[in-house]
Amino acid sequence: MTTYAIGDIQGCYEPLQRLLELIHFDPQHDQLWLAGDLVNRGPQSLEVLRWASSLGDSVVAVLGNHDLHLLARYYGSSRKSKSDTLDSVLNAPDCDELMHWLRYCPLVHLSDDQQWCMSHAGIPPIWSATQARALAAEVEQILQGDQSQDLLRELYGNAPDIWDEQLTGPERWRTIVNYLTRMRFIDTHCRLDFSAKEGLDSAPKGFMPWFEASNTQTRLIFGHWAALNGNIHHNHIEALDTGCVWGGQLTAMSLNNRQRYAVPASA
């Protein structure tokens, strides 16, 4: 069995199918880890969700910020933004089933042997992989329960911008989600910056890419940051968002040997 991790798909279903053909993916024997942002901005979010949800235990998808935005729109907790391409999902006859599947996706996936961990934006240096998994579970329990609409209504916002174990309620939920799905730059206290979204040279004064402060011994997989184009040279950290939705590539990596495979956005 081979386990492959794939970066942000964002509705790019056609390149996804070419990538699966390239790696000879066999759902009977292989497993896929999807690094979040399955949907939005690309043209075929509905097809991506139908494909992913049909694979059962052969796929593990973590939630990205665009996936959470889709859930927020479905539950009436958010309005449509100008760049949304989610109407095909929300108007689909199987929308309810797809949203149920998405709501039960984790924010953090940690392998059974705890050697590999995946979240959409990464793991802040102040948390271990096991701690991140535990904090993610707090939010997942709410998302999958009766308070899901309350959670989705409270997700939007940049404050608090720094972790405090004493946080409770919506502020705690929002801070956990922001670290796991929106993080790029942090300061030496692990305070989040939400203004800079480009490459490494766009870091605000006093801030650095989160992975530069990481001393993790668990191998981390993340997406979210297309401007990096997957070019992170760290023994234990793998960036997989290579900007397919922006005309770049869609990338997969074998967890067995860390070999990478990529297809262009256009055939």
Side-chain angles (χ1 to χ4, degrees), residues 72-125:
R73 283 199 58 194
Y74 172 74
Y75 283 103
S77 302
S78 176
R79 297 179 181 178
K80 181 178 181 179
S81 68
K82 292 181 180 179
S83 59
D84 281 0
T85 60
L86 299 171
D87 287 351
S88 63
V89 178
L90 296 168
N91 296 327
D94 52 346
C95 179
D96 292 347
E97 291 84 355
L98 294 172
M99 293 304 94
H100 178 82
W101 176 83
L102 192 64
R103 189 159 66 105
Y104 278 81
C105 289
L107 282 160
V108 172
H109 178 63
L110 184 61
S111 63
D112 291 341
D113 61 8
Q114 299 190 3
Q115 295 299 303
W116 286 95
C117 184
M118 177 178 66
S119 71
H120 180 57
I123 303 294

Side-chain angles (χ1 to χ4, degrees), residues 6-263:
I6 296 180
D8 301 31
I9 300 169
Q10 291 201 246
C12 296
Y13 181 73
E14 190 276 329
L16 171 65
Q17 296 307 305
R18 285 190 280 112
L19 181 61
L20 296 175
E21 183 177 353
L22 176 65
I23 63 177
H24 304 291
F25 172 66
D26 181 351
Q28 300 300 316
H29 302 285
D30 303 325
Q31 187 174 53
L32 292 178
W33 290 19
L34 307 179
D37 279 3
L38 279 67
V39 301
N40 212 9
R41 294 191 172 147
Q44 292 183 287
S45 293
L46 176 60
E47 288 80 359
V48 171
L49 284 177
R50 285 174 171 167
W51 163 80
S53 63
S54 74
L55 288 176
D57 293 339
S58 297
V59 67
V60 176
V62 294
L63 292 168
N65 50 302
H66 284 282
D67 308 314
L68 289 167
H69 176 61
L70 171 56
L71 286 168
R73 283 199 58 194
Y74 172 74
Y75 283 103
S77 302
S78 176
R79 297 179 181 178
K80 181 178 181 179
S81 68
K82 292 181 180 179
S83 59
D84 281 0
T85 60
L86 299 171
D87 287 351
S88 63
V89 178
L90 296 168
N91 296 327
D94 52 346
C95 179
D96 292 347
E97 291 84 355
L98 294 172
M99 293 304 94
H100 178 82
W101 176 83
L102 192 64
R103 189 159 66 105
Y104 278 81
C105 289
L107 282 160
V108 172
H109 178 63
L110 184 61
S111 63
D112 291 341
D113 61 8
Q114 299 190 3
Q115 295 299 303
W116 286 95
C117 184
M118 177 178 66
S119 71
H120 180 57
I123 303 294
I126 52 173
W127 298 344
S128 67
T130 52
Q131 184 181 7
R133 177 62 228 136
L135 292 170
E138 293 183 23
V139 178
E140 293 159 12
Q141 183 177 16
I142 299 162
L143 182 62
Q144 295 160 14
D146 296 337
Q147 287 183 282
S148 58
Q149 287 180 277
D150 296 333
L151 168 66
L152 292 164
R153 191 180 303 112
E154 296 288 350
L155 280 185
Y156 293 86
N158 296 340
D161 60 4
I162 190 168
W163 175 245
D164 183 341
E165 183 59 46
Q166 302 306 312
L167 289 170
T168 60
E171 288 192 337
R172 185 178 180 91
W173 309 339
R174 189 184 310 118
T175 307
I176 293 169
V177 168
N178 281 344
Y179 275 111
L180 296 175
T181 68
R182 298 179 62 204
M183 176 176 62
R184 289 188 179 94
F185 295 106
I186 60 171
D187 70 6
T188 55
H189 302 289
C190 214
R191 186 181 305 276
L192 291 161
D193 170 79
F194 297 104
S195 63
K197 300 181 180 180
E198 300 305 321
L200 301 183
D201 57 358
S202 70
K205 185 177 180 179
F207 286 80
M208 69 190 110
W210 67 267
F211 44 81
E212 287 190 1
S214 178
N215 60 358
T216 180
Q217 296 304 303
T218 303
R219 291 179 173 175
L220 303 182
I221 298 167
F222 75 104
H224 182 58
W225 203 342
L228 299 178
N229 198 33
N231 296 320
I232 297 304
H233 303 291
H234 189 295
N235 287 338
H236 297 287
I237 298 177
E238 303 283 353
L240 288 184
D241 184 0
T242 48
C244 186
V245 76
W246 306 114
Q249 296 180 315
L250 188 63
T251 296
M253 183 190 72
S254 167
L255 272 62
N256 298 59
N257 57 18
R258 297 172 74 177
Q259 181 174 350
R260 292 194 175 210
Y261 309 82
V263 297

